[in-house]
Amino acid sequence: MLFERQTFFVAGLSRSGVSAAEYLISRGACVYAYDDVEDESVTAAAVKLSEIGCHIVSKDELEEKSERCDVLVLSPGIPVDHPLPVMFRKAGKRIIGETELGALAVRCPVVAVTGTNGKTTTVSMLEGIFRTAGKHAVACANIGKPLTSCIGELGENGVAVAEISSFQLETLYSLRPHVAIVLNVTEDHLNRHYNMENYTYLKAKILHNSAESEYAVLNYDDPIVRSFAEKTRAKVVWFSLNEKVAGGYIADGGFYFLGERILSESDLPIDGDHNRANALAAICAAKLFGVGNAAIIAALKSFRGVKHRLQKVGELGGVTFIDDSKATNVDSAIKAIESVRGESVLLVGGKDKGYSYEQLFEAVKKSGVVHAVIYGENAFRVLNSALKQGFTAVTLCRPFDMAVRVAYLTAKRGQSVLLSPASASFDAFKNYEERGERFTEMISVLAEEGKREKLTVIAGGDGENGEAE
């Protein structure tokens, strides 16, 4: 792209939109920016961008200003069938995302991680492994920093560890990672992508540019992901919890890569088969980059998980509060309830994403969940799924704060209150992080109301970008 000879329209002033606008302006481009959300963060971002020469567009000017522009830079939160990108498409103009801008500019090796669940955990593991090995690794894209904001920092010798969502893949065309990881593909975002065929196509898109000199690390245990091996020219390296594959696997209580024992299962401090699979994927990528076993072992032994993912955030009156707000789909929530030890009261609901919740309650019946408090915009749909599966230990309670209060009053000493919503957060919150933070705040509210019970606050981990749930 010849930036100074083209005019760009940045749609959406989230973190990625702001980063895209700053990146383009720094390269001499003429940039217009617009966001139809009116809140303090958007206003602050608009003021900041206008100070460096960005033209902020009002709603009344939208059509006129967009006609002047050559390229639309679309934030991940805006679907490609929104009227604005439709207008650009009809005019035959280019539509890209912020991550595409970064992919065009990045000069260092890239590890790209996608999948329905486990992306943030795997990226965080890999960043820790690379840094322990002395490499300058940066977690970016859908976690940490937008890719365009760390191009200079990464240079030629860094490692970009990029979490890539299906939303980003809609407008991503040029990325060619040295290692592409696909963790799993299960139902998610069907309200955005309409059907599993579209969603699956987008996930496979991360492999489209891979050549024979690159690697595809694929989950052998997932039939959809296994089929991706036929859709790439990259060298396929498998990982599996169940089979001794050509790649990473578990045997005799240990993690192995190509027959070499790396570390013991007991060395991984976080529980759950999903986390063992994430660790296997990270081990595969690290070994393909030539990282030694000592760095892998040290990083994984010290890994404590990510914020809002099965994070114990407090204890009140003998009840443990677990924040799994990051579980924004059914598969992720199922993995959570299977991982929690003992009995729990489940908080479930939020913004609907277009799939059924019956599979969730089928798993609930086999788990330690003794009661479900259902809240949010999709409460009646979730309730209907629970009743269809014959799970009747439920309370319907639409407001989030009230739902947390009811869950606490329902839980008995020794049980947990598990926030694992299986839904997006946008019915009441900006993102899942804000939902998780409010859950933690409610523990203090409940403690203040009770006065008699001792509150124990448990510290958390690092946050993520969270633009795409």
Side-chain angles (χ1 to χ4, degrees):
M1 284 187 191
L2 187 59
F3 295 111
E4 59 268 24
R5 300 289 293 174
Q6 290 182 300
T7 303
F8 294 81
F9 192 102
V10 175
L13 295 181
S14 59
R15 293 171 73 251
S16 64
V18 170
S19 181
E22 291 175 337
Y23 174 81
L24 290 166
I25 290 168
S26 72
R27 278 150 182 77
C30 176
V31 179
Y32 290 83
Y34 170 78
D35 198 317
D36 57 9
V37 175
E38 296 180 2
D39 62 21
E40 291 181 6
S41 62
V42 170
T43 301
V47 170
K48 177 183 177 184
L49 290 175
S50 65
E51 290 174 350
I52 61 171
C54 183
H55 306 286
I56 305 301
V57 178
S58 68
K59 191 172 185 179
D60 294 338
E61 301 173 309
L62 184 59
E63 186 170 352
E64 175 202 345
K65 301 298 185 185
S66 60
E67 286 177 356
R68 297 185 184 183
C69 298
D70 305 301
V71 182
L72 173 64
V73 182
L74 199 63
S75 287
I78 302 175
V80 292
D81 57 359
H82 183 278
L84 185 60
V86 168
M87 181 167 58
F88 270 76
R89 192 175 297 108
K90 285 181 177 178
K93 296 178 179 180
R94 190 173 184 181
I95 302 171
I96 63 174
E98 177 274 331
T99 308
E100 172 67 4
L101 280 174
L104 290 166
V106 70
R107 294 174 293 155
C108 70
V110 177
V111 181
V113 182
T114 196
T116 305
N117 297 307
K119 298 184 294 296
T120 299
T121 298
T122 305
V123 165
S124 300
M125 285 177 171
L126 271 169
E127 183 186 43
I129 290 170
F130 285 130
R131 288 187 174 186
T132 303
K135 297 179 182 292
H136 180 60
V138 178
C140 56
N142 199 50
I143 174 180
K145 301 178 180 179
L147 184 54
T148 50
S149 71
C150 50
I151 296 298
E153 175 187 357
L154 286 165
E156 295 181 357
N157 299 317
V159 180
V161 189
E163 175 182 320
I164 307 295
S165 72
S166 61
F167 291 4
Q168 289 166 317
L169 284 162
E170 287 180 328
T171 54
L172 182 58
Y173 312 101
S174 304
L175 185 67
R176 180 181 284 184
H178 180 61
V179 176
I181 300 173
V182 187
L183 297 169
N184 45 65
V185 178
T186 59
E187 279 194 348
D188 201 7
H189 302 304
L190 300 190
N191 59 330
R192 167 102 167 221
H193 304 310
Y194 299 110
N195 55 54
M196 276 297 290
E197 288 77 13
N198 291 340
Y199 181 59
T200 300
Y201 167 80
L202 287 170
K203 288 301 186 184
K205 194 176 171 185
I206 201 168
L207 303 169
H208 282 191
N209 296 328
S210 296
E212 291 82 358
S213 57
E214 281 98 36
Y215 296 90
V217 174
L218 305 179
N219 184 354
Y220 186 85
D221 300 334
D222 186 309
I224 293 176
V225 177
R226 195 187 312 169
S227 72
F228 288 1
E230 303 168 3
K231 303 174 183 179
T232 182
R233 292 176 295 160
K235 300 182 186 75
V236 174
V237 176
W238 302 105
F239 66 94
S240 172
L241 296 176
N242 305 317
E243 304 284 343
K244 288 187 177 181
V245 293
Y249 58 89
I250 288 178
D252 304 320
F255 292 90
Y256 284 76
F257 179 75
L258 295 178
E260 179 187 15
R261 188 181 178 96
I262 308 299
L263 76 163
S264 298
E265 284 187 85
S266 59
D267 288 333
L268 190 68
I270 52 177
D271 295 328
D273 283 344
H274 58 293
N275 283 319
R276 283 186 275 277
N278 296 335
L280 280 173
I283 289 168
C284 289
K287 294 295 287 183
L288 292 171
F289 266 79
V291 176
N293 291 353
I296 296 172
I297 294 167
L300 291 181
K301 274 187 171 183
S302 63
F303 186 73
R304 293 296 180 268
V306 296
K307 198 172 183 181
H308 307 299
R309 184 57 175 148
L310 283 171
Q311 178 193 4
K312 292 181 180 179
V313 291
E315 185 177 309
L316 181 64
V319 175
T320 301
F321 288 77
I322 303 174
D323 174 11
D324 193 46
S325 183
K326 200 174 189 306
T328 61
N329 58 66
V330 166
D331 188 62
S332 186
I334 289 173
K335 288 180 170 63
I337 64 175
E338 290 175 344
S339 298
V340 172
R341 297 173 183 174
E343 296 181 336
S344 61
V345 175
L346 175 67
L347 275 163
V348 58
K351 178 75 173 177
D352 193 66
K353 297 172 81 173
Y355 42 65
S356 169
Y357 301 90
E358 290 179 29
Q359 187 181 0
L360 172 64
F361 286 98
E362 184 179 344
V364 161
K365 291 193 297 182
K366 302 172 185 176
S367 73
V369 174
V370 296
H371 197 96
V373 179
I374 302 170
Y375 70 92
E377 182 182 278
N378 62 354
F380 285 106
R381 185 168 183 183
V382 176
L383 174 64
N384 187 50
S385 294
L387 297 179
K388 280 185 177 180
Q389 287 297 318
F391 187 81
T392 58
V394 298
T395 301
L396 190 66
C397 185
R398 295 294 285 272
F400 182 79
D401 287 5
M402 182 62 72
V404 177
R405 183 175 282 106
V406 168
Y408 172 61
L409 293 173
T410 303
K412 298 177 181 178
R413 187 176 290 270
Q415 294 179 344
S416 300
V417 171
L418 169 64
L419 171 65
S420 195
S423 311
S425 61
F426 303 129
D427 59 329
F429 301 96
K430 291 179 182 178
N431 47 48
Y432 70 79
E433 293 100 327
E434 186 177 84
R435 177 173 58 190
E437 296 301 331
R438 183 56 188 166
F439 177 67
T440 301
E441 289 170 4
M442 281 300 298
I443 307 174
S444 298
V445 172
L446 293 169
E448 181 63 25
E449 290 174 353
K451 297 288 188 182
R452 294 170 296 178
E453 299 288 0
K454 180 182 178 182
L455 168 63
T456 302
V457 177
I458 303 171
D462 297 323
E464 305 87 34
N465 185 348
E467 282 190 292
E469 293 186 3

